[in-house]
Amino acid sequence: MSKHVAIIGCGQLARLIALAGQEIGVRFTFVAIDNEPTRCVENLGKVVQWRPTNSVISLLKAIGDVDAITVEREDLDTVLLKALDKTGLLRPGADIVLNSKNRLQEKESLSALGVPVTPYVYVATPEELHKAVDSFGFPLVFKSLEQGYDGKNQWRVRDQSELDALAQLYEGFGWIAEPEIQFSAEVSLISVRSVSGEMVFYSLTENVHNNGILHSSIAPAEFVPLNWQVAAQKQIRNLLVAWQYVGVMVTEFFVTDNGLIVNETAPRVHNSGHWTGLGAQTSQFENHLRAILDMPLGSPKETGVAGMINILGGMNIEKGLTVPGFDVHMYNKEDKPGRKLGHANITGDRELVRSQIELAGALLKSA
Ligand code: ATP
Ligand code: MG
């Protein structure tokens, strides 16, 4: 009998999970929150509308019998997540999703488990802004507690005048302040834990961000010393077990002179894992479904060196796609500047992957 999964959210991650799921006989219902655009999931399953004024019972009725419920983003209504959790089918669970929705809670819970995170202070009000300078000096990075994605709600502060300007943006919630980390690279670890507790880890992925948005990824990130990789995997393994995590979880790290430090975690499939759609024996999307449906996990082994480049709104897509060798995925979204519209994967030897990504990047940026 075919399995049925409900995905909360209708963006590109829901689309990519559903496309992978179709190949292993999973059918989908998508929940559109607050009238969000649903073009990404067009023709991939049933779409059910929900807004916070609707009851969760009516939502569950509309979804019907499901084997698992999962989310494609963190920024979800607390009442909704907690109610869905009561079914016992929300994977990962509400506590975990809510924990990563809030940067302060996330950092505190990672620190409590001994995972090294970027140093931070919580700045509750504009009067406390000096605390960040007292702790770390300039330059600083301020982040809102919630609603952070693609570098949004994040501010670089280099001097006192920029700090004063930030005070004007206060909206009553405060900030997390971090020193600006001088990293040599950024990497992420895509990990998976199933209902039965089986775990697999993909090779570390190197990520390049432009203006806070992921530009491209290459895996495996062999330049990271093996003992650092092993230590990071051990920390995340402990964390998955401690949280009784189910599904794909991605951890973003800064590579520094003193080792890997965690920037943030994502309780879901992640843009830095999109290369697995072509370059690994089992994609992060299929393994997420296998994990939440308690099926045996597939091999995360890469099939060679793999790369991914993001295609954003406003880019010269026609020209960018002339570079040979890419496996292109467009998300059927309306073109808006800076919006993630698609991605392209490539495999081959390291030099080829690197040079084709560089070429595609230059052409995508060209007029
Ligand atoms: P995502 O889209 O991954 O959810 P986000 O908006 O939640 O991103 P972060 O991942 O915290 O935000 O930051 C985005 C990028 O900004 C990082 O990948 C990194 O390049 C840069 N960045 C964030 N914090 C720092 C810091 N303390 N020092 C230096 N660079 C930073
Ligand atoms: Mg990030």
Side-chain angles (χ1 to χ4, degrees):
M1 208 192 71
S2 100
K3 300 278 188 186
H4 180 203
V5 168
I7 303 181
I8 315 300
C10 298
Q12 69 266 22
L13 299 178
R15 174 189 183 87
L16 294 165
I17 293 170
L19 287 171
Q22 283 182 342
E23 293 188 2
I24 54 167
V26 181
R27 87 196 151 80
F28 294 88
T29 296
F30 306 94
V31 179
I33 306 287
D34 272 333
N35 234 355
E36 69 178 288
T38 58
R39 284 175 52 160
C40 287
V41 296
E42 221 170 76
N43 300 322
L44 294 174
K46 184 166 82 172
V47 176
V48 173
Q49 298 287 338
W50 190 80
R51 53 184 71 229
T53 47
N54 300 147
S55 80
V56 181
I57 301 286
S58 68
L59 173 65
L60 287 169
K61 271 198 192 138
I63 291 173
D65 277 343
V66 276
D67 299 287
I69 306 172
T70 195
V71 303
E72 64 130 32
R73 59 173 188 260
E74 297 96 275
D75 178 28
L76 292 168
D77 185 84
T78 305
V79 174
L80 171 66
L81 284 171
K82 291 204 160 155
L84 291 175
D85 212 17
K86 294 214 170 88
T87 63
L89 297 172
L90 182 66
R91 293 162 192 164
D95 288 350
I96 289 160
V97 179
L98 291 168
N99 189 53
S100 23
K101 179 179 168 182
N102 183 292
R103 288 190 193 272
L104 179 59
Q105 267 181 40
E106 180 186 35
K107 281 180 184 288
E108 284 176 346
S109 62
L110 290 169
S111 304
L113 287 167
V115 179
V117 297
T118 313
Y120 65 96
V121 287
Y122 172 49
V123 174
T125 62
E127 290 69 44
E128 288 182 16
L129 280 167
H130 68 89
K131 271 178 39 184
V133 189
D134 299 345
S135 304
F136 311 121
F138 293 111
L140 292 158
V141 179
F142 282 82
K143 300 176 181 179
S144 63
L145 296 193
E146 297 194 3
Q147 309 260 349
Y149 68 98
D150 292 346
K152 291 194 171 65
N153 295 316
Q154 191 177 120
W155 300 267
R156 301 285 168 135
V157 172
R158 284 163 295 190
D159 54 32
Q160 188 61 42
S161 69
E162 289 185 351
L163 195 68
D164 295 340
L166 185 68
Q168 306 304 313
L169 298 178
Y170 183 62
E171 283 179 339
F173 301 107
W175 302 270
I176 287 283
E178 302 170 356
E180 192 176 287
I181 302 294
Q182 299 304 313
F183 53 78
S184 57
E186 291 188 81
V187 294
S188 58
L189 178 62
I190 300 138
S191 55
V192 197
R193 183 175 177 278
S194 74
V195 173
S196 308
E198 186 188 357
M199 284 183 267
V200 297
F201 298 84
Y202 289 81
S203 290
L204 270 192
T205 307
E206 179 185 6
N207 301 309
V208 175
H209 292 84
N210 283 344
N211 304 320
I213 303 188
L214 184 64
H215 165 261
S216 57
S217 307
I218 294 185
E222 278 168 348
F223 61 90
V224 178
L226 206 57
N227 55 332
W228 292 9
Q229 298 197 33
V230 171
Q233 208 179 92
K234 199 169 157 202
Q235 285 157 7
I236 302 307
R237 183 181 291 273
N238 289 342
L239 199 143
L240 294 175
V241 173
W243 287 354
Q244 288 293 288
Y245 192 96
V246 176
V248 165
M249 187 184 86
V250 173
T251 311
E252 295 183 289
F253 299 87
F254 295 131
V255 184
T256 73
D257 292 346
N258 303 317
L260 297 178
I261 48 176
V262 172
N263 171 33
E264 62 169 354
T265 60
R268 52 176 170 77
V269 294
H270 192 259
N271 197 171
S272 69
H274 286 6
W275 64 268
T276 63
L278 180 73
Q281 282 175 15
T282 315
S283 73
Q284 62 164 347
F285 311 107
E286 181 175 329
N287 258 341
H288 182 66
L289 291 168
R290 287 177 168 272
I292 67 175
L293 292 168
D294 203 15
M295 293 158 70
L297 298 180
S299 166
K301 185 108 194 71
E302 65 275 3
T303 51
V305 175
M308 187 267 347
I309 183 163
N310 268 335
I311 299 167
L312 306 181
M315 285 181 164
N316 190 339
I317 300 174
E318 225 165 88
K319 226 173 182 181
L321 298 186
T322 57
V323 182
F326 279 103
D327 179 31
V328 180
H329 295 260
M330 297 304 292
Y331 309 146
N332 192 33
K333 277 184 178 174
E334 198 190 331
D335 190 339
K336 281 206 180 149
R339 184 182 262 184
K340 287 178 179 168
L341 298 184
H343 70 272
N345 287 331
I346 189 163
T347 55
D349 69 51
R350 191 171 288 276
E351 262 331 293
L352 175 92
V353 168
R354 231 177 245 295
S355 65
Q356 295 303 76
I357 283 185
E358 203 172 299
L359 181 59
L363 291 173
L364 282 166
K365 263 199 268 164
S366 67

